[in-house]
Amino acid sequence: MGAKNVCLMTDKNLSHLPPVQVVMDSLVKNGITFELYDNVRVEPTDTSFMDAIEFAKRGAFDAYVAVGGGSTMDTCKAANLYASNPQSEFLDYVNAPIGKGKPVSVPLKPLIAVPTTSGTGSETTGVAIFDYEHLKVKTGIASRAIKPTLGLVDPLHTLHMPGQVVANSGFDVLCHALESYTALPYHMRSPCPSNPISRPAYQGSNPISDIWSVQALRIVAKYLKRAVRNPDDLEARSNMHLASAFAGIGFGNAGVHLCHGMSYPISGLVKTYKAKDYNVDHPLVPHGLSVVLTSPAVFTFTAKMFPERHLETAEILGADTRTAKIQDAGPVLADTLRKFLFDLNVDNGLAAIGYSKADIPALVKGTLPQERVTKLAPRPQSEEDLSALFEASMKLY
Amino acid sequence: MGAKNVCLMTDKNLSHLPPVQVVMDSLVKNGITFELYDNVRVEPTDTSFMDAIEFAKRGAFDAYVAVGGGSTMDTCKAANLYASNPQSEFLDYVNAPIGKGKPVSVPLKPLIAVPTTSGTGSETTGVAIFDYEHLKVKTGIASRAIKPTLGLVDPLHTLHMPGQVVANSGFDVLCHALESYTALPYHMRSPCPSNPISRPAYQGSNPISDIWSVQALRIVAKYLKRAVRNPDDLEARSNMHLASAFAGIGFGNAGVHLCHGMSYPISGLVKTYKAKDYNVDHPLVPHGLSVVLTSPAVFTFTAKMFPERHLETAEILGADTRTAKIQDAGPVLADTLRKFLFDLNVDNGLAAIGYSKADIPALVKGTLPQERVTKLAPRPQSEEDLSALFEASMKLY
């Protein structure tokens, strides 16, 4: 790539661990100047994005390397975007209706993404997610232009993950696969944008994304429990690392829908919950957990459309569907998911992470601006529907 | 892409048909100057490549559009490569040991590939194949650099294909899928090139290519016969068009091996055979036919390595493998292929297309320089092995 002045981004926990060391050694060995930015916030915010952007602007870098989970890769994508286009306002590229959702027309610098968690698939996507503190809601930037130039998916990097991080990031893979496979089909979306540059990153489910989503789901079914239980199970952790990238290619093209749309306020409105195994100084509902807790309710709701696909995913996840009726696809998949989550000791619903019925209006209000994804659900939803979905997710078992 | 002066390549049969008309109308409507080159040879040669290259050099084009089958897309890739690098000799980029196999270091112009047959997958690959007349052998150019910028895989274009063209191009998909899925795994290839720019386009089978190869095979099993039988079966023809692209992504990364390596002399040494439904003025063994005729013998031979994968593909193609022994994987797959080819009225082996035992030394001699692919076979082969494979392919049924 001819890079001479590289920006290396990571978080404080990783900065002294082998995945970052390997990159620094390689840069030194190849005589490439670099600066380390290790101030990435786990579950980033607009403020933490800005900090990284300022660093990138000052450095005038000609390439970026992001080593970490989705938070790091997403922060690095934003830094590359705004440093390549210093005149732009922060909200210019943030998804509408929160931001202006402008198409990106400037060329970006090369970005190499090295994932160290197995969930986000961010190394394969043109999406960068952050908490918009002002509105207490998650949103993001979505454009093909910010997709990393190269992803280095090295399974050895996953051996440093604590079990709970493996579980939660695995739930993200699970939901990426399920949501993208059940997303509104590409030919049912409307209206067409008038110019190809206005095409959204998310196109609806299609024959290409389907392949990735289904394959990722098969790997989750086979390997997630093993990967959580035993940190030394390199076969299981390698396969989950691949599944994360596979699901990333799937949802990066097809999109996600309700589990993700509803997860943003679940994370954004966090009160005091602090997840086990996450070394951070602020309350945090890990992204994968915030996504998966609504999954039984969501897929019960969406299975009214495309029940065959819902039943097929239940079968991949281990359900015996030979005698299942097609109209029961939703409950069959929901029960399969509940069993899967119970086996992995997942908190018993939104109530267990600090929410009560009184919070539902705020959770619904935080979901409404997530149109970019919620409109990809196979079934349209009213505010009452969303309210019922949050209520049904208070308790899982 | 900002193109202002486009080279549109196709063959004489297609130049007045809708797929080319649609492109010309679009170029005119958008005020883009273009020149039409409709002199592509079906099964191109070094001479026909040169003719297209000279046209491209004279035109000083800033983008290319190829509308046609593999012959057209491959010719256009070569034209783009040499016109972008006018100082180079023709053999510079041709695969070693026939050519020099130099890595491509010049930037090429954008190339949009619009396939009108469902076999080559050339719209997804960095490969361009031609007959090297001087040696009477097929060879090619293989580099990521010549991969099309964009492929437009429109199923409506396949409705113009005669049944025999659908069958033969479908056999190419079948063999792309089978060969790439059984190719030597990527971690068993050696030695590593000293510099990444010297990495071959073909990397051996790997977890990414496997997904595409298997999915393509499933589609072939389900739709090829229907697509051959009924030109109006848009579902079947659409699916075969996708399968062609899927298998292209699979073998374009993993590679092909013996069916393809042995097919080049089978096509190159053609005597008087003229395929039905091919409107050409020279003897021709269509590529897909030349590839598939050796497949029962080849997979009987290669199944000694990785028999599980061979048995799995037999099952996908319709064999009942529940009671099959793993050591019978080769014969089981070979029988499945013979039945499949018989049902599709395929010529009864190499003898039926004009070859006899006396031709075997020449066929072996023409295979030996195809190292680029033959060394990807899961099992190494001696000259005696190749000779036995050609002999076993004289008669199929």
Side-chain angles (χ1 to χ4, degrees), chain A residues 207-208 211-212 215 218 242 246 249, chain B residues 207-208 211-212 215 218 242 246 249:
Chain A
I208 306 263
I211 293 177
W212 296 102
Q215 189 64 22
R218 287 201 187 105
L242 260 188
F246 287 3
I249 306 175
Chain B
I208 306 262
I211 293 176
W212 296 103
Q215 189 64 20
R218 287 201 187 107
L242 260 188
F246 288 3
I249 306 174

Side-chain angles (χ1 to χ4, degrees), chain B residues 215-235:
Chain B
Q215 189 64 20
L217 192 64
R218 287 201 187 107
I219 300 176
V220 169
K222 185 167 178 186
Y223 287 111
L224 179 56
K225 288 181 187 173
R226 278 175 51 182
V228 171
R229 212 146 292 168
N230 182 357
D232 299 327
D233 189 338
L234 184 60
E235 182 191 340

Side-chain angles (χ1 to χ4, degrees), chain B residues 54-329:
Chain B
E54 285 312 311
F55 181 87
K57 283 183 177 172
R58 280 196 307 273
F61 301 107
D62 55 14
Y64 293 80
V65 182
V67 183
S71 301
T72 298
M73 292 186 273
D74 288 7
T75 300
C76 198
K77 290 174 185 174
N80 187 6
L81 172 62
Y82 290 96
S84 300
N85 197 4
Q87 265 67 55
S88 58
E89 306 276 330
F90 183 68
L91 284 178
D92 281 355
Y93 297 119
V94 172
N95 296 321
I98 294 169
K100 294 185 194 158
K102 280 195 191 169
V104 178
S105 51
V106 292
L108 271 63
K109 303 298 182 191
L111 189 169
I112 300 179
V114 187
T116 59
T117 62
S118 308
T120 163
S122 183
E123 70 278 11
T124 72
T125 74
V127 177
I129 301 290
F130 65 95
D131 278 312
Y132 192 48
E133 291 169 308
H134 174 61
L135 295 180
K136 278 204 159 206
V137 76
K138 281 210 176 192
T139 183
I141 302 161
S143 164
R144 278 172 196 79
I146 62 172
K147 197 180 280 193
T149 318
L150 183 69
L152 296 177
V153 183
D154 183 340
L156 293 180
H157 292 346
T158 67
L159 298 178
H160 305 93
M161 263 192 292
Q164 215 42 54
V165 176
V166 175
N168 287 324
S169 46
F171 298 145
D172 200 17
V173 180
L174 173 68
C175 288
H176 287 158
L178 288 172
E179 289 173 67
S180 56
Y181 192 57
T182 56
L184 199 64
Y186 71 104
H187 52 80
M188 291 175 70
R189 291 174 56 246
S190 65
C192 274
S194 54
N195 186 314
I197 202 177
S198 306
R199 282 171 65 198
Y202 291 167
Q203 295 289 308
S205 63
N206 60 73
I208 306 262
S209 63
D210 286 351
I211 293 176
W212 296 103
S213 307
V214 168
Q215 189 64 20
L217 192 64
R218 287 201 187 107
I219 300 176
V220 169
K222 185 167 178 186
Y223 287 111
L224 179 56
K225 288 181 187 173
R226 278 175 51 182
V228 171
R229 212 146 292 168
N230 182 357
D232 299 327
D233 189 338
L234 184 60
E235 182 191 340
R237 291 202 166 193
S238 296
N239 273 283
M240 282 305 303
H241 213 37
L242 260 188
S244 168
F246 288 3
I249 306 174
F251 91 83
N253 287 288
V256 283
H257 55 83
L258 286 176
C259 296
H260 271 77
M262 293 167 63
S263 82
Y264 299 134
I266 294 172
S267 286
L269 299 173
V270 58
K271 297 167 182 181
T272 57
Y273 186 80
K274 284 196 171 185
K276 187 173 152 271
D277 282 351
Y278 285 75
N279 182 21
V280 290
D281 57 6
H282 50 87
L284 173 75
V285 182
H287 173 63
L289 181 65
S290 73
V291 161
V292 87
L293 287 176
T294 59
S295 64
V298 161
F299 294 109
T300 305
F301 175 79
T302 56
K304 295 272 191 299
M305 295 292 288
F306 315 114
E308 295 82 3
R309 286 196 168 216
H310 286 73
L311 209 53
E312 186 187 346
T313 59
E315 189 182 5
I316 294 171
L317 286 170
D320 180 350
T321 61
R322 283 171 300 179
T323 58
K325 295 198 186 102
I326 193 74
Q327 62 266 38
D328 294 335

Side-chain angles (χ1 to χ4, degrees), chain A residues 341-360:
Chain A
L341 301 183
F342 184 82
D343 289 349
L344 281 162
N345 292 313
V346 172
D347 289 304
N348 190 5
L350 296 178
I353 62 165
Y355 289 105
S356 72
K357 256 183 112 161
D359 300 307
I360 292 181

Side-chain angles (χ1 to χ4, degrees), chain A residues 65 81 111 134 191 218 235 259 276 296 313 336 338 340 346:
Chain A
V65 182
L81 172 61
L111 190 167
H134 175 61
R218 287 201 187 105
E235 182 191 340
C259 296
K276 186 173 154 269
T313 59
T336 310
R338 281 193 200 94
F340 194 78
V346 172

